[in-house]
Amino acid sequence: MQLNSLILSVIKQLFPARQWLKNYKTEHFNGDLIAALIVTIMLIPQSLAYALLAGLPAEMGLYASILPLVFYGFLGSSYSLSVGPVAIISLMTASAIMPIASPESPAYTTLAILLAFISGLVLVLLGILRFGFIANFLSHPVVSGFISASGIIIIISQLKHLLGIPVSGDNLITQGTTLFQSIPAMHSTTCILAISCLAGLWWLRRCFLRYFPTWGIPLHYAQLLSKAAPVIVILLATLTTYYFRLDLKGVAIVGEIPKGLPQLSWPTMTGAHWQQLTSSALLIAIIGFIESISIGKTLAAKKRQRINPNQELIGLGSANLASAISGGFPVTGGFSRSVVNFDAGASTPAAGIFAALGIAIVSLWLTPLLFYLPKAALAVTIVMAVISLIDIGLIRKAWRYSRTEFTGITTTLTITLFFGVEYGVLSGVAISVSLHLLKTARPHIAVVGEIPGTEHFRNIQRHDVITYPHIISIRVDESLYFANSSFLEDKIYSLIAQNTKVKHVILMCTAINEIDLSALEALEVINCRLQELNIHFHLSEVKGPVMDTLQKTTFTKQLNGNIYLSQHQAIEDLKTAP
């Protein structure tokens, strides 16, 4: 019986679809089918566009939108997340492979598939090891700086399709140089087509929506229909290109996309390729996970559902492995698709599985219709999608709120812009950790006194409080660890040097959640130093877990003062003490 229970527990953990499959109902099917239809319509141009952004054949975008959706549907924990190619990961894919192989070469395609495979392995391994907390290593402001810079790089990279000129590079310097050199060769017909597509897409999204109420279409459905605006623009651009044969006038088109489903095979691997791609795969895995988990948590909260970060790692990892064996490239959860999926009424992950079926149908029978699709139209959809990624408002907010956070955002943004996305990610991690160390290494330490008529203690510099000349009460608003233990020592010694009457020092531990070994040694030194000066060292309001840790050592026995349950109790006991 115990073995059966263990097996069922493992199946439930590794196969979360069992939970929603056993409760699946007709109303779920209806909502999932409608959501899948809308997401499929969105996903067709997006998958093609993001494949081109990654420097890959357009059909690989379709391949990355079939099997990954199925695998995530069965192994992911979010009911609303829509997995597939996304802009940031596509850009990171191109940045990782371009230094190794030239775009449009067979080696480039092989490396993209292998990159998805390694990313998938990394994510699955992190999930098995329960590393879901890894998303916390990058602060939201720093991630926002990286994404904003990546959005700018993506927009500039698409100018080659919008203007019909060559633009290369993965940072602002190389892109700007090639762009400046190529401007004289700008293709006028391509420019006119791109401007028309931009204007049409903007009008459909901004202005056309106001006509829906007059036609009796509810606002909710009108907003969903407005999400299909890129499909309308691409359809019109394709018909225009076909009718006027703009391809013969120099307008770049997608061309022939092979019909049929992708062939399943293991990616070609060599030791050199693994060595070249592993670091990039790790960065892609982390950024993709952070992007997905933030979207998934936001949508889950609206339905009072829960996202399991460790299961998300396994779900996204399996999706990337599925993309690799089916000829795709790295994938993750997409924000716009997931929001549309949620708003369209997706009830379960089956919506993603149905969307995969829709993309499979397109791959089997409808790809000839995409032959005359101009690349400029796909570039327009990318530009309009990533404009929303550039969050200037958060930069202004950080400037007003915290200069430290502002420095983190702008530094990450600058490094990403001028040195490339991989350096941007690494700098983001380093800056996030550095900012945390900077904040906690010099924690806020307040000398506190009692508010008259209460048992509350507050900062003497902010409130009118009662203090006693022979007692110094200090409150540390941070856990004590190796980085700030010396700072606490210096603060206490400074305070007693300023007050020759002091006989008691009380460390108020209200905000101390942990004391590491370095901090414990610092407390022992403080205790000895104060004892030599005939000053008693006391603790108050020590939390249970912290007290449990302290009692495993000799510190509580060596302490030359007392440990009080409350600060008020300490003051009442010591205010009349000799």
Side-chain angles (χ1 to χ4, degrees):
M1 289 296 292
Q2 291 181 347
L3 180 60
N4 292 336
S5 300
L6 179 62
I7 292 173
L8 288 174
S9 176
V10 171
I11 291 174
K12 184 177 180 180
Q13 182 178 359
L14 298 180
F15 194 68
R18 178 176 172 273
Q19 186 66 30
W20 60 264
L21 280 171
K22 68 179 182 180
N23 299 317
Y24 202 70
K25 300 177 182 177
T26 304
E27 56 265 29
H28 296 151
F29 175 78
N30 294 335
D32 290 341
L33 192 61
I34 294 172
L37 178 62
I38 296 173
V39 169
T40 300
I41 293 173
M42 279 189 67
L43 193 52
I44 293 169
Q46 281 189 357
S47 60
L48 297 172
Y50 293 145
L52 295 180
L53 174 60
L56 296 164
E59 64 270 15
M60 289 186 68
L62 297 176
Y63 299 162
S65 303
I66 302 175
L67 211 54
L69 276 70
V70 177
F71 272 64
Y72 180 82
F74 285 113
L75 295 172
S77 66
S78 173
Y79 281 23
S80 304
L81 193 69
S82 179
V83 172
V86 299
I88 300 296
I89 301 303
S90 298
L91 175 64
M92 294 182 71
T93 299
S95 299
I97 305 174
M98 279 184 181
I100 306 172
S102 60
E104 300 180 2
S105 67
Y108 191 95
T109 301
T110 300
L111 291 173
I113 294 171
L114 181 58
L115 190 62
F117 186 80
I118 300 174
S119 298
L121 285 180
V122 168
L123 287 165
V124 170
L125 181 61
L126 291 175
I128 293 173
L129 297 177
R130 307 184 69 80
F131 267 59
F133 62 86
I134 199 171
N136 301 327
F137 282 102
L138 278 172
S139 68
H140 177 261
V142 169
V143 171
S144 177
F146 166 74
I147 290 177
S148 296
S150 299
I152 295 171
I153 293 174
I154 290 170
I155 290 173
I156 295 174
S157 72
Q158 294 310 294
L159 291 177
K160 63 184 176 184
H161 298 306
L162 298 176
L163 304 178
I165 56 177
V167 176
S168 60
D170 63 347
N171 60 66
L172 203 59
I173 296 175
T174 55
Q175 286 183 339
T177 301
T178 56
L179 176 64
F180 181 77
Q181 294 172 346
S182 303
I183 281 181
M186 192 166 51
H187 191 257
S188 58
T189 307
T190 302
C191 290
I192 294 171
L193 181 63
I195 292 171
S196 301
C197 290
L198 278 169
L201 186 54
W202 181 87
W203 185 80
L204 285 171
R205 284 187 168 178
R206 302 285 181 177
C207 303
F208 192 49
L209 189 62
R210 70 183 62 167
Y211 295 103
F212 284 106
T214 62
W215 298 338
I217 300 176
L219 180 61
H220 174 72
Y221 293 106
Q223 291 173 338
L224 288 176
L225 288 172
S226 70
K227 303 293 185 182
V231 178
I232 298 173
V233 168
I234 284 175
L235 179 61
L236 293 175
T238 303
L239 292 174
T240 301
T241 303
Y242 171 73
Y243 184 78
F244 293 103
R245 293 308 307 267
L246 298 182
D247 56 311
L248 301 179
K249 299 177 182 179
V251 173
I253 60 174
V254 171
E256 184 178 358
I257 298 177
K259 291 174 62 176
L261 297 176
Q263 297 294 319
L264 302 183
S265 63
W266 289 103
T268 304
M269 310 177 200
T270 65
H273 289 162
W274 277 79
Q275 186 176 2
Q276 292 168 325
L277 295 177
T278 299
S279 59
S280 298
L282 178 61
L283 297 177
I284 287 173
I286 292 173
I287 291 297
F289 173 62
I290 291 173
E291 187 174 355
S292 293
I293 200 72
S294 60
I295 299 166
K297 284 183 176 179
T298 301
L299 297 179
K302 294 181 179 181
K303 287 188 176 181
R304 298 188 178 183
Q305 295 170 346
R306 180 179 175 273
I307 296 295
N308 184 336
N310 296 313
Q311 189 61 46
E312 279 300 285
L313 284 167
I314 294 174
L316 291 171
S318 64
N320 277 279
L321 292 175
S323 182
I325 64 174
S326 59
F329 57 99
V331 297
T332 193
F335 178 75
S336 59
R337 291 195 306 271
S338 298
V339 171
V340 170
N341 193 42
F342 178 87
D343 291 340
S347 301
T348 71
I353 299 171
F354 295 155
L357 180 61
I359 299 296
I361 292 171
V362 171
S363 300
L364 280 170
W365 292 295
L366 302 181
T367 52
L369 300 178
L370 303 173
F371 184 90
Y372 289 100
L373 172 57
K375 292 183 178 181
L378 290 176
V380 166
T381 65
I382 293 177
V383 169
M384 294 297 288
V386 301
I387 282 177
S388 61
L389 299 179
I390 303 173
D391 193 352
I392 302 300
L394 184 62
I395 298 175
R396 291 197 299 265
K397 182 179 179 181
W399 172 260
R400 295 192 300 267
Y401 182 74
S402 169
R403 298 299 165 86
T404 304
E405 297 283 4
F406 173 80
T407 303
I409 294 175
T410 53
T411 303
T412 305
L413 189 148
T414 303
I415 291 175
T416 305
L417 282 177
F418 290 99
F419 296 97
V421 291
E422 290 196 8
Y423 288 104
V425 176
L426 293 173
S427 68
V429 175
I431 290 168
S432 295
V433 174
S434 299
L435 289 178
H436 172 72
L437 291 174
L438 181 64
K439 290 176 183 177
T440 57
R442 298 178 63 85
H444 179 258
I445 298 179
V447 178
V448 299
E450 191 170 25
I451 295 178
T454 73
E455 297 183 6
H456 299 293
F457 289 78
R458 295 293 184 269
N459 193 332
I460 63 172
Q461 296 181 349
R462 293 176 180 269
H463 301 272
D464 185 13
V465 294
I466 300 172
T467 59
Y468 301 92
H470 66 293
I471 300 175
I472 293 178
S473 298
I474 62 173
R475 187 191 71 227
V476 183
D477 295 333
E478 186 62 64
S479 291
L480 298 179
Y481 73 117
F482 65 91
N484 60 24
S485 55
S486 296
F487 183 72
L488 174 64
E489 281 190 76
D490 295 340
K491 182 67 175 179
I492 290 177
Y493 299 154
S494 174
L495 289 172
I496 62 176
Q498 297 169 18
N499 184 356
T500 58
K501 297 180 180 180
V502 63
K503 293 298 178 183
H504 300 277
V505 173
I506 307 172
L507 179 61
M508 189 175 175
C509 303
T510 313
I512 298 176
N513 297 318
E514 185 180 4
I515 298 176
D516 76 355
L517 189 59
S518 296
L520 174 65
E521 292 176 351
L523 292 177
E524 291 173 342
V525 171
I526 292 170
N527 181 58
C528 292
R529 177 80 177 273
L530 295 184
Q531 190 170 11
E532 293 171 357
L533 298 172
N534 198 27
I535 298 173
H536 295 279
F537 185 40
H538 310 273
L539 305 181
S540 72
E541 303 193 13
V542 182
K543 293 183 176 180
V546 177
M547 193 65 198
D548 292 340
T549 305
L550 292 178
Q551 287 177 338
K552 295 177 182 178
T553 70
T554 59
F555 173 74
T556 55
K557 296 177 181 178
Q558 295 173 352
L559 187 66
N560 72 343
N562 301 317
I563 299 177
Y564 293 96
L565 183 63
S566 70
Q567 180 70 13
H568 174 73
Q569 185 185 77
I571 293 297
E572 289 298 307
D573 186 40
L574 299 175
K575 68 182 181 182
T576 57

